[in-house]
């Protein structure tokens, strides 16, 4: 029955996902920052259930971090910036719509946020071929 005993300040295996593994780059009374392949995660210390050292080598601390469900974190990515004549911007995230029905639903949601009334008999977003160039349009 030892599997039913939960020590204080620990979560059961069902209450947390797999541990985040990475390089501990900053630690304070308020935050913990862990670098992974794609960038750096920064967690509020209160959201960290457990921080265990995976291995240490040459001044680097490889760690595993268990986070409580529902935790909010910041994620920072390294990006190469090229100087050009326009302001720095990020490309928009690709649409999650993966078909005509999802695209139509996304179009209706977008139109409702702008308070654009739907017209009966019109399908909304269409795919057209105009002057030899493919384009999407709202009819």
């Amino acid at each position: 029955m030892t599997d039913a005993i939960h020590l204080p300040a620990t979560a059961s295996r069902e209450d947390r996902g797999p541990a985040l593994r990475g390089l501990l780059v900053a630690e304070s009374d308020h935050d913990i920052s862990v670098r992974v392949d794609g960038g750096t995660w920064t967690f509020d210390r209160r959201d960290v259930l457990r921080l265990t050292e995976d291995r240490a080598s040459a001044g680097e601390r490889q760690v595993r971090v268990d986070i409580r469900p529902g935790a909010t974190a910041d994620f920072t990515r390294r990006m190469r910036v090229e100087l050009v004549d326009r302001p720095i911007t990020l490309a928009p995230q690709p649409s999650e719509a993966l078909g005509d029905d999802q695209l139509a639903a996304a179009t209706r949601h977008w139109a409702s946020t702008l308070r654009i009334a739907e017209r009966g008999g019109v399908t909304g977003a269409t795919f057209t071929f105009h002057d030899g160039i493919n384009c999407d349009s709202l009819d």
Side-chain angles (χ1 to χ4, degrees), residues 33-48:
S33 296
V34 178
R35 185 178 302 135
V36 295
D37 288 337
T40 302
W41 287 102
T42 301
F43 299 100
D44 186 311
R45 167 98 44 199
R46 294 173 296 187
D47 291 332
V48 176

Side-chain angles (χ1 to χ4, degrees), residues 2 5-6 9 11-12 53 56 61 74 84 91 109:
T2 59
I5 299 173
H6 299 290
S12 69
E53 195 155 330
R61 289 179 59 195
D74 291 322
V84 294
H109 180 266

Side-chain angles (χ1 to χ4, degrees), residues 58-74:
E60 295 183 345
R61 289 179 59 195
Q62 293 288 330
V63 295
R64 292 182 189 204
V65 182
D66 287 316
I67 307 301
R68 77 170 176 80
T72 302
D74 291 322

Side-chain angles (χ1 to χ4, degrees), residues 3-135:
D3 60 340
I5 299 173
H6 299 290
L7 300 174
T10 63
S12 69
R13 194 73 188 136
E14 295 81 32
D15 290 341
R16 62 178 190 254
L20 173 71
R21 297 175 85 169
L23 178 66
L24 183 66
V25 292
E27 185 177 15
S28 71
D29 293 338
H30 303 288
D31 298 318
I32 293 175
S33 296
V34 178
R35 185 178 302 135
V36 295
D37 288 337
T40 302
W41 287 102
T42 301
F43 299 100
D44 186 311
R45 167 98 44 199
R46 294 173 296 187
D47 291 332
V48 176
L49 298 174
R50 183 171 49 190
L51 175 70
T52 55
E53 195 155 330
D54 204 10
R55 63 179 181 262
S57 61
E60 295 183 345
R61 289 179 59 195
Q62 293 288 330
V63 295
R64 292 182 189 204
V65 182
D66 287 316
I67 307 301
R68 77 170 176 80
T72 302
D74 291 322
F75 184 74
T76 307
R77 317 184 276 197
R78 290 183 69 90
M79 300 175 66
R80 180 171 303 282
V81 176
E82 302 208 12
L83 299 178
V84 294
D85 293 332
R86 60 183 189 272
I88 295 174
T89 59
L90 295 176
Q93 293 294 323
S95 172
E96 295 178 9
L98 297 175
D100 292 340
D101 294 337
Q102 288 183 355
L103 182 58
T107 301
R108 282 192 299 277
H109 180 266
W110 171 79
S112 69
T113 61
L114 296 177
R115 297 183 180 184
I116 298 174
E118 286 189 47
R119 293 186 307 181
V122 176
T123 59
T126 61
F127 181 74
T128 60
F129 189 79
H130 180 68
D131 295 336
I133 299 172
N134 292 327
C135 66

